[in-house]
mmCIF file of all heavy atoms in Angstrom:
data_model
loop_
_atom_site.group_PDB
_atom_site.id
_atom_site.type_symbol
_atom_site.label_atom_id
_atom_site.label_comp_id
_atom_site.label_asym_id
_atom_site.label_seq_id
_atom_site.Cartn_x
_atom_site.Cartn_y
_atom_site.Cartn_z
ATOM 1 N N GLU A 295 67.686 -72.785 -3.981
ATOM 2 C CA GLU A 295 67.917 -73.659 -2.822
ATOM 3 C C GLU A 295 66.828 -74.755 -2.728
ATOM 4 O O GLU A 295 67.053 -75.886 -2.359
ATOM 5 C CB GLU A 295 67.901 -72.810 -1.544
ATOM 6 C CG GLU A 295 69.080 -71.893 -1.474
ATOM 7 C CD GLU A 295 69.072 -70.934 -0.263
ATOM 8 O OE1 GLU A 295 67.971 -70.807 0.357
ATOM 9 O OE2 GLU A 295 70.108 -70.321 0.080
ATOM 10 N N ALA A 296 65.564 -74.341 -3.034
ATOM 11 C CA ALA A 296 64.444 -75.267 -2.910
ATOM 12 C C ALA A 296 64.462 -76.319 -3.978
ATOM 13 O O ALA A 296 63.765 -77.364 -3.894
ATOM 14 C CB ALA A 296 63.140 -74.504 -3.006
ATOM 15 N N SER A 297 65.260 -76.196 -5.018
ATOM 16 C CA SER A 297 65.321 -77.219 -6.064
ATOM 17 C C SER A 297 66.416 -78.293 -5.744
ATOM 18 O O SER A 297 66.482 -79.310 -6.444
ATOM 19 C CB SER A 297 65.743 -76.573 -7.439
ATOM 20 O OG SER A 297 67.120 -76.099 -7.364
ATOM 21 N N ALA A 298 67.127 -78.101 -4.634
ATOM 22 C CA ALA A 298 68.162 -79.060 -4.247
ATOM 23 C C ALA A 298 67.545 -80.218 -3.497
ATOM 24 O O ALA A 298 66.533 -80.094 -2.799
ATOM 25 C CB ALA A 298 69.228 -78.391 -3.391
ATOM 26 N N PRO A 299 68.141 -81.420 -3.580
ATOM 27 C CA PRO A 299 67.623 -82.611 -2.855
ATOM 28 C C PRO A 299 67.502 -82.364 -1.357
ATOM 29 O O PRO A 299 66.624 -82.918 -0.688
ATOM 30 C CB PRO A 299 68.647 -83.692 -3.160
ATOM 31 C CG PRO A 299 69.236 -83.314 -4.492
ATOM 32 C CD PRO A 299 69.299 -81.812 -4.450
ATOM 33 N N ALA A 300 68.424 -81.600 -0.764
ATOM 34 C CA ALA A 300 68.417 -81.335 0.664
ATOM 35 C C ALA A 300 67.099 -80.634 1.074
ATOM 36 O O ALA A 300 66.563 -80.851 2.193
ATOM 37 C CB ALA A 300 69.581 -80.493 1.089
ATOM 38 N N PHE A 301 66.528 -79.837 0.191
ATOM 39 C CA PHE A 301 65.302 -79.156 0.563
ATOM 40 C C PHE A 301 64.122 -80.162 0.556
ATOM 41 O O PHE A 301 63.226 -79.999 1.422
ATOM 42 C CB PHE A 301 64.981 -78.035 -0.429
ATOM 43 C CG PHE A 301 63.850 -77.135 -0.006
ATOM 44 C CD1 PHE A 301 64.113 -76.076 0.823
ATOM 45 C CD2 PHE A 301 62.539 -77.418 -0.335
ATOM 46 C CE1 PHE A 301 63.051 -75.221 1.276
ATOM 47 C CE2 PHE A 301 61.472 -76.623 0.104
ATOM 48 C CZ PHE A 301 61.772 -75.521 0.912
ATOM 49 N N ALA A 302 64.114 -81.159 -0.274
ATOM 50 C CA ALA A 302 63.075 -82.149 -0.205
ATOM 51 C C ALA A 302 63.163 -82.905 1.146
ATOM 52 O O ALA A 302 62.103 -83.186 1.771
ATOM 53 C CB ALA A 302 63.258 -83.184 -1.356
ATOM 54 N N ALA A 303 64.323 -83.193 1.600
ATOM 55 C CA ALA A 303 64.486 -83.811 2.932
ATOM 56 C C ALA A 303 63.988 -82.894 4.021
ATOM 57 O O ALA A 303 63.329 -83.320 4.969
ATOM 58 C CB ALA A 303 65.979 -84.197 3.162
ATOM 59 N N TYR A 304 64.283 -81.610 3.853
ATOM 60 C CA TYR A 304 63.771 -80.620 4.861
ATOM 61 C C TYR A 304 62.288 -80.593 4.884
ATOM 62 O O TYR A 304 61.676 -80.597 5.961
ATOM 63 C CB TYR A 304 64.368 -79.226 4.487
ATOM 64 C CG TYR A 304 63.663 -78.092 5.116
ATOM 65 C CD1 TYR A 304 63.824 -77.838 6.491
ATOM 66 C CD2 TYR A 304 62.744 -77.307 4.395
ATOM 67 C CE1 TYR A 304 63.115 -76.811 7.121
ATOM 68 C CE2 TYR A 304 62.062 -76.232 5.038
ATOM 69 C CZ TYR A 304 62.224 -76.012 6.365
ATOM 70 O OH TYR A 304 61.577 -74.990 7.004
ATOM 71 N N ALA A 305 61.647 -80.547 3.663
ATOM 72 C CA ALA A 305 60.196 -80.451 3.675
ATOM 73 C C ALA A 305 59.550 -81.687 4.295
ATOM 74 O O ALA A 305 58.568 -81.619 5.036
ATOM 75 C CB ALA A 305 59.716 -80.322 2.196
ATOM 76 N N ARG A 306 60.145 -82.865 4.032
ATOM 77 C CA ARG A 306 59.589 -84.091 4.696
ATOM 78 C C ARG A 306 59.759 -83.975 6.240
ATOM 79 O O ARG A 306 58.884 -84.392 7.005
ATOM 80 C CB ARG A 306 60.335 -85.356 4.170
ATOM 81 C CG ARG A 306 60.043 -85.671 2.721
ATOM 82 C CD ARG A 306 60.537 -87.078 2.398
ATOM 83 N NE ARG A 306 61.918 -87.306 2.706
ATOM 84 C CZ ARG A 306 62.930 -87.103 1.853
ATOM 85 N NH1 ARG A 306 62.699 -86.618 0.673
ATOM 86 N NH2 ARG A 306 64.176 -87.302 2.188
ATOM 87 N N GLY A 307 60.894 -83.458 6.603
ATOM 88 C CA GLY A 307 61.132 -83.280 8.051
ATOM 89 C C GLY A 307 60.172 -82.358 8.743
ATOM 90 O O GLY A 307 59.762 -82.613 9.837
ATOM 91 N N VAL A 308 59.809 -81.279 8.043
ATOM 92 C CA VAL A 308 58.836 -80.320 8.565
ATOM 93 C C VAL A 308 57.499 -81.055 8.871
ATOM 94 O O VAL A 308 56.913 -80.867 9.930
ATOM 95 C CB VAL A 308 58.609 -79.184 7.580
ATOM 96 C CG1 VAL A 308 57.330 -78.351 8.008
ATOM 97 C CG2 VAL A 308 59.840 -78.300 7.458
ATOM 98 N N VAL A 309 57.027 -81.860 7.950
ATOM 99 C CA VAL A 309 55.793 -82.570 8.150
ATOM 100 C C VAL A 309 55.922 -83.648 9.238
ATOM 101 O O VAL A 309 55.021 -83.803 10.117
ATOM 102 C CB VAL A 309 55.349 -83.243 6.823
ATOM 103 C CG1 VAL A 309 54.092 -84.084 7.061
ATOM 104 C CG2 VAL A 309 55.057 -82.147 5.777
ATOM 105 N N GLU A 310 57.009 -84.393 9.255
ATOM 106 C CA GLU A 310 57.249 -85.433 10.266
ATOM 107 C C GLU A 310 57.253 -84.745 11.662
ATOM 108 O O GLU A 310 56.692 -85.303 12.589
ATOM 109 C CB GLU A 310 58.570 -86.149 10.033
ATOM 110 C CG GLU A 310 58.528 -87.053 8.787
ATOM 111 C CD GLU A 310 59.874 -87.655 8.495
ATOM 112 O OE1 GLU A 310 60.793 -87.548 9.355
ATOM 113 O OE2 GLU A 310 60.058 -88.219 7.426
ATOM 114 N N HIS A 311 57.880 -83.610 11.774
ATOM 115 C CA HIS A 311 57.966 -82.932 13.039
ATOM 116 C C HIS A 311 56.619 -82.422 13.509
ATOM 117 O O HIS A 311 56.275 -82.420 14.704
ATOM 118 C CB HIS A 311 59.003 -81.835 12.995
ATOM 119 C CG HIS A 311 60.428 -82.296 12.754
ATOM 120 N ND1 HIS A 311 61.424 -81.512 12.311
ATOM 121 C CD2 HIS A 311 60.951 -83.518 12.966
ATOM 122 C CE1 HIS A 311 62.523 -82.182 12.205
ATOM 123 N NE2 HIS A 311 62.294 -83.467 12.586
ATOM 124 N N ALA A 312 55.848 -81.870 12.534
ATOM 125 C CA ALA A 312 54.515 -81.374 12.859
ATOM 126 C C ALA A 312 53.622 -82.525 13.403
ATOM 127 O O ALA A 312 52.927 -82.372 14.406
ATOM 128 C CB ALA A 312 53.874 -80.740 11.647
ATOM 129 N N ARG A 313 53.736 -83.675 12.764
ATOM 130 C CA ARG A 313 52.931 -84.806 13.261
ATOM 131 C C ARG A 313 53.376 -85.293 14.614
ATOM 132 O O ARG A 313 52.565 -85.619 15.451
ATOM 133 C CB ARG A 313 53.016 -85.977 12.211
ATOM 134 C CG ARG A 313 52.230 -85.696 10.903
ATOM 135 C CD ARG A 313 52.518 -86.706 9.870
ATOM 136 N NE ARG A 313 51.575 -86.585 8.743
ATOM 137 C CZ ARG A 313 51.706 -87.115 7.552
ATOM 138 N NH1 ARG A 313 52.777 -87.918 7.290
ATOM 139 N NH2 ARG A 313 50.869 -86.942 6.632
ATOM 140 N N ALA A 314 54.708 -85.346 14.825
ATOM 141 C CA ALA A 314 55.194 -85.772 16.147
ATOM 142 C C ALA A 314 54.798 -84.768 17.217
ATOM 143 O O ALA A 314 54.415 -85.129 18.304
ATOM 144 C CB ALA A 314 56.714 -85.871 16.039
#
Side-chain angles (χ1 to χ4, degrees):
E295 292 174 347
S297 70
F301 191 89
Y304 164 73
R306 292 195 304 271
V308 169
V309 176
E310 290 174 12
H311 295 160
R313 287 172 170 165

